Amino acid sequence: MHHRFFKCLSLGIVFSLICIFLCACGYSKEEKERMDHIAEQGKENAADYIQNKYGFVPEIMDIEVCMESGDSDPLLWANGYVVVSMTYGDKKFQVHINGEEPSQRGRDNFQQEQIRDEAEAYFRDLLGYDIYDIYLEYEENQRSDDSFPSCHEKYMLEKSYRAGDFKNFMKEYSINVRIDDCENQDLTELERNKPDVVNCLQQHARESGMKAILISYKSEDDYQKGFDHVYGRGGVLDFGIWADGLYINSYAAFEEENMDAGRFEQQEYDGMIFSCIDKAEGNDLLISKNRNNWMELEENSGNPLSEVYSINREQSGEITVYIPTERYGKNVSVFVQYFHENEWRQYESNTDVTTDKEYIFITYQGIYGGTFDFAFFDSLKME
């Protein structure tokens, strides 16, 4: 009798806890109704906003209620705004607007393509050469009294863009831009050859906060082989660009009052290609093999599949090694060893494969200088 009572009591407690848990992990009826209201009101607001701003009635495709969370929030919560996906003819765009109450204050990216095209025309005229590709980010500068949440900022404009006014547009908005060409140019000579261009870009960077990177690929074929084309996104201008050193002649980055230009140099050795930023006359790298022994440290076991290659450089900086995939395959392990603070250290380097699958490559970051060794190991034996 007592046993059955306690068993029922225990089951009741467990059931109650489950109910409490489920309630705590889900949205209440009131919150669900609130989100439904935000979606419906936001849909109406967005349609009216576009009609008043551009003079046409859009077709609504989708509505997303904007959700946020804090460090201690168990659930995402609706911040009162929506992003409404729309079409007009064959054009797709979005509106970011309040959905808690009737509102005509919104932001949209309807003119994004037009702004990008005019940006390309502006920079083509400024630089004086053909642009192969351009990537443009922009967002409105935040005001202290701005009620818009920051969940959707990029490419969203409250005011209409004035056609043909990109130069003034740069003064009003925060811009990140990447400009690619396939002209095989040495952009380290840009300041000497085109000082007016450099002065103009530095002025935009200094006065408007623009961040820009110019990249000159060796050819259109090299551009297509490029491992990555995301440089400049989020204002991070040249991070990781060394991975494409095989395909890029040079680049020039502009931020605040600074111009940072680099030209890539390649050296071939034993069927591999070694790439780095060219900083000295002649070959920057001294490459050899079997000069150093592979140290027997805990980081790896077994004998290398190859000779031990040594790279020496006076300056620090990234060095990328391109290894033909036909040599060891795509899954070979590459270990790096270097001498720092009176001891040898080793690690397994991350490997990537080029877009055309012809090379695997590793990059030595050169944090502690430009000298290191590397060797190949059977990946199966390293597991």
Side-chain angles (χ1 to χ4, degrees):
M1 180 76 175
H2 288 86
H3 175 73
R4 194 162 50 214
F5 170 77
F6 284 114
K7 183 178 180 180
C8 292
L9 180 62
S10 299
L11 289 173
I13 293 173
V14 171
F15 181 76
S16 298
L17 290 173
I18 291 174
C19 291
I20 293 171
F21 176 79
L22 290 175
C23 290
C25 291
Y27 293 104
S28 66
K29 178 182 177 182
E30 291 77 10
E31 181 62 16
K32 289 179 180 178
E33 290 176 350
R34 175 176 173 267
M35 287 190 285
D36 289 341
H37 169 75
I38 290 172
E40 195 60 33
Q41 183 67 62
K43 171 184 174 181
E44 183 179 332
N45 289 348
D48 291 343
Y49 160 81
I50 288 296
Q51 186 172 10
N52 290 334
K53 185 174 181 180
Y54 296 112
F56 63 82
V57 178
E59 181 179 353
I60 295 175
M61 306 300 294
D62 185 53
I63 303 169
E64 174 191 348
V65 176
C66 299
M67 308 294 286
E68 295 185 15
S69 68
D71 294 336
S72 59
D73 295 331
L75 290 173
L76 296 173
W77 49 274
N79 65 14
Y81 281 72
V82 295
V83 170
V84 184
S85 297
M86 299 177 162
T87 60
Y88 180 65
D90 59 354
K91 191 178 185 66
K92 298 179 181 179
F93 60 98
Q94 294 177 312
V95 172
H96 187 213
I97 199 164
N98 188 281
E100 289 191 298
E101 58 187 12
S103 175
Q104 285 298 290
R105 188 187 173 199
R107 298 187 293 198
D108 66 273
N109 57 11
F110 178 73
Q111 295 177 288
Q112 181 180 352
E113 185 177 348
Q114 178 187 6
I115 294 170
R116 180 200 176 279
D117 290 345
E118 293 198 9
E120 182 174 354
Y122 172 83
F123 286 112
R124 183 176 61 246
D125 291 343
L126 174 66
L127 297 169
Y129 59 75
D130 288 335
I131 294 174
Y132 187 78
D133 192 19
I134 184 171
Y135 172 78
L136 180 70
E137 285 181 347
Y138 56 86
E139 61 186 52
E140 292 189 335
N141 294 313
Q142 290 293 313
R143 305 188 300 268
S144 58
D145 62 341
D146 197 350
S147 60
F148 272 105
S150 59
C151 51
H152 294 85
E153 292 179 302
K154 290 180 181 176
Y155 314 117
M156 294 287 186
L157 300 182
E158 186 173 351
K159 295 191 299 183
S160 296
Y161 173 71
R162 300 180 298 274
D165 199 32
F166 184 75
K167 186 174 182 179
N168 285 323
F169 180 84
M170 287 193 293
K171 298 176 182 178
E172 297 182 38
Y173 299 94
S174 298
I175 289 178
N176 301 322
V177 61
R178 185 193 72 243
I179 301 169
D180 301 328
D181 74 78
C182 299
E183 305 293 320
N184 197 28
Q185 298 185 84
D186 182 0
L187 294 174
T188 63
E189 297 292 321
L190 187 64
E191 190 167 17
R192 183 170 68 87
N193 296 334
K194 297 182 177 181
D196 292 343
V197 170
V198 171
N199 289 337
C200 183
L201 292 173
Q202 287 179 324
Q203 181 179 358
H204 285 313
R206 180 176 59 253
E207 297 179 359
S208 307
M210 180 196 73
K211 295 182 180 180
I213 182 167
L214 315 180
I215 304 176
S216 188
Y217 286 81
K218 295 178 180 179
S219 67
E220 290 186 19
D221 184 55
D222 284 293
Y223 181 89
Q224 300 303 325
K225 290 180 180 179
F227 180 73
D228 213 346
H229 292 294
V230 298
Y231 313 114
R233 293 190 179 181
V236 182
L237 296 178
D238 59 355
F239 180 77
I241 200 168
W242 48 83
D244 278 333
L246 185 59
Y247 313 109
I248 293 173
N249 180 313
S250 61
Y251 67 90
F254 297 85
E255 183 175 3
E256 296 178 347
E257 297 186 3
N258 302 319
M259 172 185 171
D260 179 26
R263 178 181 57 233
F264 286 98
E265 169 187 310
Q266 282 85 44
Q267 295 175 225
E268 291 190 31
Y269 183 86
D270 200 21
M272 295 177 285
I273 302 175
F274 296 75
S275 178
C276 64
I277 296 292
D278 187 6
K279 296 183 179 180
E281 292 290 333
N283 290 335
D284 282 32
L285 307 177
L286 177 62
I287 309 169
S288 59
K289 62 182 178 181
N290 295 330
R291 191 183 67 181
N292 293 331
N293 294 322
W294 193 257
M295 302 298 164
E296 295 184 3
L297 304 181
E298 295 181 358
E299 284 76 3
N300 66 77
S301 60
N303 296 318
L305 295 174
S306 67
E307 297 89 348
V308 178
Y309 294 91
S310 299
I311 296 90
N312 286 67
R313 188 185 191 189
E314 292 183 2
Q315 303 93 347
S316 62
E318 294 80 11
I319 300 172
T320 301
V321 185
Y322 296 88
I323 306 108
T325 50
E326 62 183 18
R327 185 166 187 165
Y328 298 109
K330 300 176 184 177
N331 300 315
V332 68
S333 292
V334 185
F335 272 78
V336 168
Q337 73 175 11
Y338 61 97
F339 192 73
H340 179 63
E341 294 182 345
N342 297 318
E343 66 175 333
W344 284 98
R345 305 183 184 193
Q346 294 174 346
Y347 64 89
E348 183 176 6
S349 180
N350 292 326
T351 58
D352 288 296
V353 183
T354 57
T355 301
D356 59 10
K357 313 300 181 187
E358 290 188 8
Y359 299 94
I360 63 169
F361 64 93
I362 66 166
T363 297
Y364 178 71
Q365 301 295 334
I367 298 173
Y368 303 112
T371 299
F372 69 101
D373 305 325
F374 72 92
F376 301 96
F377 289 79
D378 188 339
S379 59
L380 296 177
K381 294 182 180 180
M382 302 306 299
E383 295 178 357

